[in-house]
mmCIF file of all heavy atoms in Angstrom:
data_model
loop_
_atom_site.group_PDB
_atom_site.id
_atom_site.type_symbol
_atom_site.label_atom_id
_atom_site.label_comp_id
_atom_site.label_asym_id
_atom_site.label_seq_id
_atom_site.Cartn_x
_atom_site.Cartn_y
_atom_site.Cartn_z
ATOM 1 N N THR A 407 282.389 -100.682 -27.739
ATOM 2 C CA THR A 407 283.687 -101.277 -27.499
ATOM 3 C C THR A 407 284.676 -100.698 -28.503
ATOM 4 O O THR A 407 284.448 -100.737 -29.698
ATOM 5 C CB THR A 407 283.619 -102.804 -27.662
ATOM 6 O OG1 THR A 407 282.630 -103.292 -26.775
ATOM 7 C CG2 THR A 407 284.936 -103.443 -27.368
ATOM 8 N N GLN A 438 274.261 -89.408 -35.864
ATOM 9 C CA GLN A 438 272.985 -89.947 -36.330
ATOM 10 C C GLN A 438 272.309 -89.071 -37.382
ATOM 11 O O GLN A 438 271.948 -89.556 -38.457
ATOM 12 C CB GLN A 438 272.041 -90.147 -35.138
ATOM 13 C CG GLN A 438 270.692 -90.696 -35.526
ATOM 14 C CD GLN A 438 269.804 -90.926 -34.309
ATOM 15 O OE1 GLN A 438 270.281 -90.978 -33.181
ATOM 16 N NE2 GLN A 438 268.531 -91.069 -34.546
ATOM 17 N N LYS A 457 271.919 -103.562 -48.011
ATOM 18 C CA LYS A 457 271.405 -104.671 -47.208
ATOM 19 C C LYS A 457 270.377 -104.246 -46.164
ATOM 20 O O LYS A 457 269.688 -105.088 -45.613
ATOM 21 C CB LYS A 457 272.566 -105.415 -46.551
ATOM 22 C CG LYS A 457 273.414 -106.147 -47.587
ATOM 23 C CD LYS A 457 274.457 -107.025 -46.972
ATOM 24 C CE LYS A 457 275.213 -107.757 -48.071
ATOM 25 N NZ LYS A 457 276.157 -108.723 -47.542
ATOM 26 N N TRP A 469 272.049 -98.136 -35.572
ATOM 27 C CA TRP A 469 273.485 -98.178 -35.879
ATOM 28 C C TRP A 469 274.279 -97.278 -34.947
ATOM 29 O O TRP A 469 275.320 -97.675 -34.445
ATOM 30 C CB TRP A 469 273.736 -97.729 -37.311
ATOM 31 C CG TRP A 469 273.349 -98.697 -38.365
ATOM 32 C CD1 TRP A 469 272.728 -99.906 -38.234
ATOM 33 C CD2 TRP A 469 273.535 -98.511 -39.762
ATOM 34 N NE1 TRP A 469 272.523 -100.479 -39.458
ATOM 35 C CE2 TRP A 469 273.007 -99.644 -40.421
ATOM 36 C CE3 TRP A 469 274.082 -97.499 -40.533
ATOM 37 C CZ2 TRP A 469 273.027 -99.788 -41.805
ATOM 38 C CZ3 TRP A 469 274.102 -97.643 -41.913
ATOM 39 C CH2 TRP A 469 273.586 -98.785 -42.541
ATOM 40 N N LEU A 473 276.770 -99.008 -31.315
ATOM 41 C CA LEU A 473 278.078 -99.219 -31.935
ATOM 42 C C LEU A 473 278.837 -100.322 -31.198
ATOM 43 O O LEU A 473 278.958 -100.284 -29.974
ATOM 44 C CB LEU A 473 278.894 -97.927 -31.906
ATOM 45 C CG LEU A 473 278.388 -96.812 -32.816
ATOM 46 C CD1 LEU A 473 279.075 -95.501 -32.477
ATOM 47 C CD2 LEU A 473 278.612 -97.176 -34.271
ATOM 48 N N ARG A 477 282.290 -105.933 -33.891
ATOM 49 C CA ARG A 477 281.495 -106.550 -34.956
ATOM 50 C C ARG A 477 281.542 -105.756 -36.259
ATOM 51 O O ARG A 477 281.681 -106.321 -37.331
ATOM 52 C CB ARG A 477 280.058 -106.688 -34.472
ATOM 53 C CG ARG A 477 279.180 -107.459 -35.394
ATOM 54 C CD ARG A 477 277.955 -107.970 -34.633
ATOM 55 N NE ARG A 477 277.011 -108.591 -35.513
ATOM 56 C CZ ARG A 477 277.111 -109.807 -35.980
ATOM 57 N NH1 ARG A 477 278.138 -110.558 -35.663
ATOM 58 N NH2 ARG A 477 276.186 -110.295 -36.773
ATOM 59 N N ILE A 481 283.648 -96.330 -40.721
ATOM 60 C CA ILE A 481 284.488 -95.159 -40.964
ATOM 61 C C ILE A 481 283.689 -94.220 -41.869
ATOM 62 O O ILE A 481 283.129 -94.658 -42.892
ATOM 63 C CB ILE A 481 285.818 -95.550 -41.648
ATOM 64 C CG1 ILE A 481 286.605 -96.551 -40.794
ATOM 65 C CG2 ILE A 481 286.655 -94.312 -41.979
ATOM 66 C CD1 ILE A 481 287.082 -96.036 -39.454
ATOM 67 N N ILE A 511 280.766 -100.073 -48.863
ATOM 68 C CA ILE A 511 281.090 -98.654 -49.034
ATOM 69 C C ILE A 511 279.986 -97.981 -49.841
ATOM 70 O O ILE A 511 279.541 -98.514 -50.856
ATOM 71 C CB ILE A 511 282.448 -98.483 -49.754
ATOM 72 C CG1 ILE A 511 283.556 -99.087 -48.892
ATOM 73 C CG2 ILE A 511 282.729 -97.013 -50.068
ATOM 74 C CD1 ILE A 511 284.905 -99.118 -49.536
ATOM 75 N N VAL A 512 279.578 -96.803 -49.376
ATOM 76 C CA VAL A 512 278.624 -95.971 -50.101
ATOM 77 C C VAL A 512 279.215 -94.570 -50.159
ATOM 78 O O VAL A 512 279.619 -94.018 -49.128
ATOM 79 C CB VAL A 512 277.244 -95.930 -49.409
ATOM 80 C CG1 VAL A 512 276.280 -95.060 -50.206
ATOM 81 C CG2 VAL A 512 276.680 -97.335 -49.230
ATOM 82 N N LEU A 526 288.811 -95.267 -49.269
ATOM 83 C CA LEU A 526 288.068 -95.961 -48.217
ATOM 84 C C LEU A 526 288.319 -97.462 -48.249
ATOM 85 O O LEU A 526 288.422 -98.100 -47.196
ATOM 86 C CB LEU A 526 286.581 -95.648 -48.328
ATOM 87 C CG LEU A 526 286.209 -94.223 -47.938
ATOM 88 C CD1 LEU A 526 284.792 -93.905 -48.379
ATOM 89 C CD2 LEU A 526 286.389 -94.005 -46.450
ATOM 90 N N VAL A 542 289.476 -110.440 -47.046
ATOM 91 C CA VAL A 542 288.320 -109.548 -47.018
ATOM 92 C C VAL A 542 287.537 -109.777 -48.291
ATOM 93 O O VAL A 542 288.124 -109.936 -49.373
ATOM 94 C CB VAL A 542 288.764 -108.070 -46.917
ATOM 95 C CG1 VAL A 542 287.583 -107.127 -47.030
ATOM 96 C CG2 VAL A 542 289.514 -107.824 -45.612
ATOM 97 N N ALA A 556 286.027 -101.689 -60.436
ATOM 98 C CA ALA A 556 287.330 -101.216 -60.936
ATOM 99 C C ALA A 556 288.190 -100.682 -59.792
ATOM 100 O O ALA A 556 289.398 -100.948 -59.736
ATOM 101 C CB ALA A 556 287.128 -100.153 -62.013
ATOM 102 N N GLY A 571 272.029 -113.948 -61.433
ATOM 103 C CA GLY A 571 270.651 -113.677 -61.083
ATOM 104 C C GLY A 571 270.379 -113.619 -59.586
ATOM 105 O O GLY A 571 269.243 -113.742 -59.147
ATOM 106 N N ILE A 576 264.904 -103.125 -59.106
ATOM 107 C CA ILE A 576 263.627 -102.560 -58.676
ATOM 108 C C ILE A 576 262.464 -102.971 -59.582
ATOM 109 O O ILE A 576 261.311 -102.990 -59.168
ATOM 110 C CB ILE A 576 263.748 -101.025 -58.541
ATOM 111 C CG1 ILE A 576 262.729 -100.492 -57.569
ATOM 112 C CG2 ILE A 576 263.722 -100.331 -59.878
ATOM 113 C CD1 ILE A 576 263.046 -99.131 -57.006
ATOM 114 N N GLY A 578 262.376 -106.012 -60.956
ATOM 115 C CA GLY A 578 262.290 -107.466 -60.889
ATOM 116 C C GLY A 578 263.254 -108.194 -61.812
ATOM 117 O O GLY A 578 263.283 -109.422 -61.822
#
Side-chain angles (χ1 to χ4, degrees):
T407 303
Q438 180 178 343
K457 292 187 178 185
W469 287 4
L473 291 167
R477 187 160 174 80
I481 301 296
I511 297 174
V512 180
L526 289 167
V542 174
I576 205 160

